[in-house]
């Protein structure tokens, strides 16, 4: 090797990138990227048709579901279901042994025993305890402290409010209860021995002013047994009767004699036949009371809101196809090279794509769900899904807004998930197939698989996102079957949607990582 | 024009008969599929999804789910074959891609230049795709049933507890096994028909998934039991998979073999539509 005296070659002189002298330089910012992606989405006619098809399919299937079922009311005419404070539908049937309480006062009692009557076992939510109620009419405001066989001591008022006390050992040993009225402020206490008292709960119940009724109550909700095998569900609901023995009854501030009343002679429509009234005996310090029924909000079998939005379950197939194609079509046609040449930060490109396709499918999904709900609800009502059996839903109700807007979010998340899978797999067919198998297969399977597995699938697969469509309010202090085929998701709306969002975030993050690392 | 003329063997120039021409066409299709990596991945995925989903499902079974095993309605054979519900997606994908990918890449022009008889080309594709899927489905069904048998026994559904074990040779079990095997093949042919008719992977898949999964979903959305049953009788998946049942046949919307017939009718009809499109349209 010969050495030469030529100086080392200078490093490449900085080359000025080509700049057009005619067109002002374009800006390479995120808004420009969004606009580019929006232009792509907007100008492919097939994608527009797919989006339109998704909206139409969603609406059509929703209306089909809304129009297909009729409620046949049995010949017997039932009275209107009682409604509680706030207009919600309630159950209010129990045996009541009571006196008038014009002012402040205190009730104390020892619940010695709470047992079931007859063949059926006792529900975990059978109740025995002390109750203050404005009147003996169904739906009147109340506050109560009670023992239950399955859920310990509870303080409840006005049907929907529930506070847990000590778990204790159910009703195996005697338990002391006390209810104190101070104006409209009601406080419940419990004690194991009648001397050391613990507060269970306290509430200001505005309805309990003036003269109220105060006394002992017993009730026991229906015992429901369910057998479910492969799509065939047999539900067997039987009224149960509970008997409680009360001792050491001490009251202050009350007037008049003890009166024995069966509140709510009959349970409302849909809950079967049951005598709300029971029997009660005793005077002075000890009573034996038998009652049947429940004091709780009524639970509805059918979710009218979700029914009128059910087209989303099929619309998602087209939305998923759109989301996947939005990136796989670029790979197939080679367009992706142009895209990445124009905007070399690939992760940002993918995020822009996700934002555009998510926003567009959200709007499309929102349009579809608003139209489905607005047209579907009158159809459902025309088919007999109306009060008193079914509560009427209004567009401005919180859960309805959540379900309708949530359906748009749901479809947007599905589109972004498909986009992420498309970027990961780079092929149309596997991306669409994966989304469908992740979403639609569980939706079909939950009604035929064993219950435990179905609930598991509802919680861990992306299908969980459909929980957002529920419009029923669920209460922790009421037993409900929560069957997957009724559209009941055990985890509740927000956790469900959160699960789906988690999937989307993970897949999109993986896609960004992969797109940045791999050659195009 | 060459339909009636005697074909020629490309290499030797020998005239070949009618039968040989069919064999050659099938051989060409087989070569195309055999040399694609994706074919073997799809077939492996078919077997794996079927066995895995079946085993996972059956694995959740507990004897405690039933109050009394003797009166338990749990259809363990049907449970052991749950994987067919998912594996059908792979079969559909495989069938649709067998033709739509040729449209995507343009190979279809070469194919039809080499085999001008479109009917023969489609039939040969159907035979090869059907044969490959049949082989995979047979393995998958046997694996699912075998795993199911062991898991059901492990869950406590033993003969000693009054619950008959899954006998792979029992009449109803054999019907469920043969039926699910045939069903998977039919779904692949349905996919082939859709792919031929729509000439596009995304379109064929979307249509196929709506048909297989969307239809039962719509059926489930209906509230009127008569409508539900009517929808389940005509949906390819719910009717076709009624063949999985070994107990409570009265509760089925449609008889096992009749249901499989419905699925076969769908597959046949879509193949005919595909053939019509193939015949009537330019490539």
């Amino acid at each position: 090797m010969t050495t030469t005296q030529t100086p080392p070659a200078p490093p490449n002189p900085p080359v000025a990138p080509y700049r057009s002298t005619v067109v002002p330089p374009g800006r390479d910012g995120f808004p420009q990227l969004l606009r580019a992606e929006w232009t792509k989405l907007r100008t492919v006619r097939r994608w527009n048709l797919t989006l339109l098809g998704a909206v139409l399919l969603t609406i059509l299937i929703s209306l089909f579901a809304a129009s297909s079922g009729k409620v046949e009311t049995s010949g017997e005419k039932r009275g209107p279901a009682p409604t509680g404070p706030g207009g919600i539908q309630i159950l209010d049937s129990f045996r009541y042994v009571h006196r008038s309480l014009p002012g402040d006062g205190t009730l104390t009692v020892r619940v010695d025993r709470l047992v079931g009557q007859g063949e059926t076992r006792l529900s975990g939510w059978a109740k025995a305890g002390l109750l203050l109620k404005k009147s003996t009419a169904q739906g009147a405001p109340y506050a109560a402290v009670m023992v239950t066989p399955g859920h310990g001591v509870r303080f409840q008022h006005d049907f929907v409010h529930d506070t847990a006390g000590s778990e204790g050992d159910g009703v195996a040993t005697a338990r002391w209860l006390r209810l104190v009225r101070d104006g409209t402020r009601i406080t419940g206490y419990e004690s194991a021995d009648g001397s050391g008292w613990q507060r269970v709960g306290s509430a200001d119940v505005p309805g309990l002013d003036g003269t109220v009724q105060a006394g002992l109550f017993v009730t026991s909700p229906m015992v429901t047994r369910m057998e479910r095998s492969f799509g065939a569900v047999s539900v067997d609901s039987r009224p149960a009767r509970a008997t409680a023995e009360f001792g050491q009854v001490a009251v202050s501030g009350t007037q008049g004699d003890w009166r024995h009343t069966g509140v709510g002679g009959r349970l409302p429509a849909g809950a079967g036949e049951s005598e709300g009234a029971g029997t009660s005996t005793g005077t002075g310090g000890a009573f034996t009371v038998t009652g049947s029924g429940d004091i709780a909000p009524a639970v509805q079998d059918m979710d009218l809101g979700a029914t009128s939005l059910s087209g989303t379950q099929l619309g998602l197939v087209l939305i998923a196809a759109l989301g996947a194609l939005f990136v796989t079509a670029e790979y197939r046609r080679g367009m992706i090279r142009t895209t990445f040449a124009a905007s070399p930060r690939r992760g940002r490109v993918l995020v822009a794509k996700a934002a555009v396709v998510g926003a567009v499918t959200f709007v499309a999904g929102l349009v579809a769900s608003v139209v489905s709900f607005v047209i579907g609800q009158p159809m459902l009502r025309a088919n007999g899904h109306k009060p008193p059996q079914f509560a009427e839903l209004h567009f401005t109700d919180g859960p309805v807004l959540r379900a309708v807007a949530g359906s748009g979010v749901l479809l947007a998340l599905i589109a972004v998930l498909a986009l992420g899978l498309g970027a990961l797999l780079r092929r149309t067919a596997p991306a669409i197939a994966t989304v469908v198998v992740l979403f639609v297969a569980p939706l079909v399977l939950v009604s035929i698989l064993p219950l435990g597995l179905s609930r598991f699938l509802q919680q861990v697969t992306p299908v969980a996102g459909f929980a957002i469509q529920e419009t029923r309010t669920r209460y922790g202090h009421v037993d409900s079957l929560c069957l997957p085929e009724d559209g009941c998701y055990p985890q509740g709306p927000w956790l469900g949607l959160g699960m789906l969002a988690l999937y989307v975030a993970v897949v999109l993050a993986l896609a960004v990582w992969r797109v940045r690392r791999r050659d195009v | 024009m060459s339909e009636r003329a005697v074909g020629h063997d490309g290499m030797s120039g020998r005239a070949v008969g009618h039968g040989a021409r069919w064999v050659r066409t099938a051989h060409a299709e087989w070569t195309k599929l055999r040399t694609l990596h994706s074919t073997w991945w799809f077939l492996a995925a078919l077997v794996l999804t079927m066995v895995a989903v079946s085993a996972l499902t059956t694995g959740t079974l507990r004897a405690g789910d039933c109050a009394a095993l003797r009166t338990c309605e749990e259809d363990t054979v049907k449970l052991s074959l749950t994987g067919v519900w998912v594996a059908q997606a792979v079969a559909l994908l495989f069938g649709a891609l067998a033709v739509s990918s040729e449209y995507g890449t343009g190979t279809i022009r070469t194919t039809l230049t080499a085999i001008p008889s479109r009917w023969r080309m489609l039939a040969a594709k159907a035979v090869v795709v059907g044969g490959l899927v049949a082989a995979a489905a047979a393995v998958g069904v046997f694996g699912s049933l075998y795993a199911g048998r062991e898991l059901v026994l492990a869950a406590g559904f033993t003969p000693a507890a009054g619950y008959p074990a899954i006998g792979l040779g029992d009449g109803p079990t054999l019907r469920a096994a043969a039926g699910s095997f045939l069903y998977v093949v039919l779904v692949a042919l349905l996919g082939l028909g859709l792919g031929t008719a729509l000439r596009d992977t995304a379109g064929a898949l979307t249509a196929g998934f709506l048909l297989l999964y969307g239809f039962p979903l719509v059926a489930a959305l209906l509230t009127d039991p008569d409508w539900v049953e009517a929808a389940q009788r005509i949906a390819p998946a719910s009717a076709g998979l009624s063949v999985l049942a070994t107990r409570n046949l009265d509760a089925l919307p449609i008889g096992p073999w009749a249901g499989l017939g419905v699925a076969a009718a769908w597959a046949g009809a879509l193949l005919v539509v595909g053939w019509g499109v193939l015949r009537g349209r330019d490539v």
Side-chain angles (χ1 to χ4, degrees):
Chain A
M1 214 183 205
T2 55
T3 52
T4 52
Q5 288 306 309
T6 50
N12 289 339
V15 178
Y18 167 75
R19 290 277 180 257
S20 169
T21 52
V22 185
V23 186
R27 295 192 50 205
D28 176 33
F30 194 66
Q32 281 73 28
L33 207 48
L34 285 181
R35 178 148 174 265
E37 295 302 333
W38 160 241
T39 310
K40 277 187 222 166
L41 187 66
R42 186 168 55 83
T43 48
V44 179
R45 202 177 57 167
R46 219 175 116 196
W47 294 349
N48 296 336
L49 290 178
T50 308
L51 204 58
L52 186 68
V55 172
L56 290 181
L57 185 69
T58 305
I59 295 174
L60 277 179
I61 299 293
S62 299
L63 298 188
F64 183 55
S67 64
S68 66
K70 277 197 166 43
V71 176
E72 273 147 39
T73 35
S74 51
E76 194 189 343
K77 199 81 179 159
R78 297 169 192 273
T83 51
I88 61 152
Q89 302 203 319
I90 50 151
L91 302 173
D92 200 5
S93 308
F94 56 97
R95 185 70 181 176
Y96 198 21
V97 180
H98 57 107
R99 300 171 79 172
S100 290
L101 178 65
D104 294 347
T106 301
L107 294 90
T108 309
V109 74
R110 192 184 67 215
V111 185
D112 290 326
R113 250 156 62 87
L114 177 60
V115 291
Q117 286 277 304
E119 307 246 320
T120 48
R121 68 195 164 81
L122 206 53
S123 157
W125 280 111
K127 304 172 175 79
L130 297 167
L131 179 86
L132 289 179
K133 198 169 172 70
K134 181 64 190 165
S135 72
T136 56
Q138 283 185 302
Y142 78 95
V145 63
M146 66 203 74
V147 295
T148 62
H151 305 272
V153 177
R154 317 294 288 204
F155 175 77
Q156 298 182 348
H157 66 103
D158 285 357
F159 305 98
V160 296
H161 305 285
D162 171 50
T163 314
S166 74
E167 204 52 52
D169 48 3
V171 287
T173 54
R175 196 110 201 124
W176 293 76
L177 299 173
R178 174 174 287 173
L179 204 55
V180 178
R181 180 190 187 202
D182 178 14
T184 55
R185 161 77 39 189
I186 317 294
T187 311
Y189 298 90
E190 62 169 311
S191 167
D193 50 14
S195 53
W197 290 93
Q198 283 173 301
R199 208 180 76 141
V200 182
S202 181
D204 187 47
V205 187
L208 286 177
D209 53 352
T211 301
V212 300
Q213 300 300 313
L216 317 167
F217 82 104
V218 173
T219 192
S220 174
M222 298 243 189
V223 175
T224 303
R225 285 169 56 99
M226 180 194 50
E227 290 198 2
R228 182 174 182 276
S229 57
F230 292 100
V233 186
S234 67
V235 178
D236 172 35
S237 285
R238 296 180 186 189
R241 295 159 80 81
T243 298
E245 287 170 15
F246 296 98
Q248 306 281 339
V249 179
V251 290
S252 71
T254 56
Q255 291 177 345
D257 294 329
W258 286 104
R259 279 176 288 160
H260 299 246
T261 310
V263 175
R266 186 168 268 174
L267 289 178
E273 301 295 325
S274 166
E275 292 295 311
T279 57
S280 45
T281 53
T283 48
F287 291 90
T288 302
V289 184
T290 300
S292 176
D294 203 0
I295 310 175
V299 179
Q300 290 193 328
D301 288 341
M302 194 176 164
D303 191 333
L304 295 186
T307 302
S308 65
L309 295 173
S310 43
T312 318
Q313 298 183 5
L314 285 193
L316 81 86
V317 178
L318 288 176
I319 291 286
L322 177 72
L325 278 172
F326 194 44
V327 59
T328 56
E330 290 208 25
Y331 276 102
R332 186 161 136 211
R333 303 272 175 221
M335 176 72 178
I336 196 77
R337 292 186 209 117
T338 315
T339 304
F340 284 154
S343 179
R345 288 175 60 190
R346 297 182 187 173
R348 208 173 56 159
V349 172
L350 207 58
V351 171
K353 271 190 183 297
V356 168
V357 85
V360 168
T361 49
F362 170 72
V363 173
L366 195 63
V367 169
S369 58
V370 168
V371 173
S372 300
F373 184 84
V374 170
I375 306 182
Q377 287 301 316
M379 289 171 86
L380 280 168
R381 274 198 293 279
N383 280 334
H385 298 92
K386 56 188 174 193
Q389 234 172 318
F390 294 89
E392 196 166 334
L393 291 175
H394 298 284
F395 192 75
T396 47
D397 293 349
V400 171
L401 281 178
R402 182 182 66 205
V404 169
S407 299
V409 176
L410 178 68
L411 286 180
L413 285 173
I414 291 170
V416 176
L417 186 72
L419 178 93
L421 281 169
L424 272 178
L425 304 170
R426 301 188 171 198
R427 301 252 186 91
T428 311
I432 297 181
T434 309
V435 177
V436 170
V437 170
L438 278 179
F439 276 98
V440 189
L443 279 175
V444 177
L445 288 175
V446 286
S447 56
I448 58 171
L449 292 177
L451 194 59
L453 183 62
S454 295
R455 287 196 176 139
F456 178 72
L457 285 179
Q458 283 185 311
Q459 291 178 50
V460 303
T461 60
V463 159
F466 278 94
I468 199 73
Q469 293 192 329
E470 269 189 89
T471 58
R472 279 175 295 195
T473 316
R474 265 184 279 151
Y475 300 96
H477 61 288
V478 185
D479 274 334
S480 65
L481 286 176
C482 192
L483 291 176
E485 49 266 49
D486 291 339
C488 177
Y489 287 78
Q491 73 272 48
W494 293 116
L495 266 182
L497 197 70
M499 190 66 183
L500 174 60
L502 190 70
Y503 271 96
V504 173
V506 169
V507 167
L508 198 62
L510 277 177
V512 166
W513 175 73
R514 190 104 180 94
V515 162
R516 288 175 58 170
R517 275 199 46 176
R518 235 181 105 175
D519 203 0
V520 269
Chain B
M1 55 122 204
S2 63
E3 186 64 42
R4 228 168 291 150
V6 176
H8 285 275
D9 182 302
M11 279 192 280
S12 61
R14 257 185 310 115
V16 293
H18 189 71
R21 210 160 48 190
W22 274 95
V23 172
R24 276 155 198 273
T25 310
H27 190 255
E29 292 301 332
W30 159 246
T31 309
K32 268 191 275 179
L33 277 182
R34 180 175 57 84
T35 50
L36 277 174
H37 284 300
S38 63
T39 299
W40 305 106
W41 282 115
F42 275 125
L43 295 180
L46 181 71
V47 175
L48 273 181
T49 49
M50 199 190 296
V51 178
V53 173
S54 299
L56 284 176
T57 310
T58 320
T60 62
L61 189 67
R62 296 280 172 277
D65 294 349
C66 289
L69 291 181
R70 234 171 264 281
T71 59
C72 188
E73 295 294 317
E74 206 77 31
D75 189 337
T76 48
V77 175
K78 190 174 173 179
L79 193 67
S80 313
L81 289 169
T82 309
V84 177
W85 274 99
V86 180
Q88 63 175 347
V90 185
L92 179 87
L93 197 57
F94 183 63
L97 275 175
V99 59
S100 70
S101 69
E102 289 209 22
Y103 279 99
T105 55
T107 318
I108 191 74
R109 290 182 214 122
T110 317
T111 302
L112 287 176
T113 309
I115 311 164
S117 163
R118 298 183 174 188
W119 149 247
R120 190 144 49 90
M121 187 276 284
L122 187 61
K125 267 199 193 303
V127 167
V128 173
V129 166
L132 281 173
V133 170
V139 177
V141 167
F142 179 77
S144 299
L145 276 179
Y146 186 77
R149 179 191 154 92
E150 298 300 314
L151 286 166
V152 163
L153 283 178
F157 286 74
T158 52
Y163 204 80
I166 298 177
L168 296 183
D170 296 350
T173 309
L174 220 48
R175 181 184 59 217
S180 47
F181 160 77
L182 287 173
Y183 176 78
V184 174
V185 175
L186 286 173
V187 169
L189 295 180
L190 188 151
L192 184 71
L194 271 175
T196 318
L198 298 174
R199 305 187 162 195
D200 169 69
T201 308
L205 282 184
T206 310
F209 286 138
L210 284 176
L211 202 57
L212 290 184
Y213 294 112
F215 219 139
L217 267 186
V218 174
L221 295 178
L222 300 173
T223 36
D224 188 325
D226 290 342
W227 285 46
V228 173
E229 200 151 289
Q232 284 175 342
R233 269 200 294 270
I234 55 168
S238 357
L241 286 175
S242 62
V243 83
L244 297 185
T246 58
R247 297 164 156 250
N248 269 346
L249 295 187
D250 301 339
L252 289 176
I254 190 168
W257 289 120
L260 200 66
V262 170
W266 274 99
L270 284 169
L271 275 176
V272 167
V273 170
W275 178 63
V277 171
L278 191 62
R279 217 177 98 105
R281 260 184 75 179
D282 204 359
V283 273

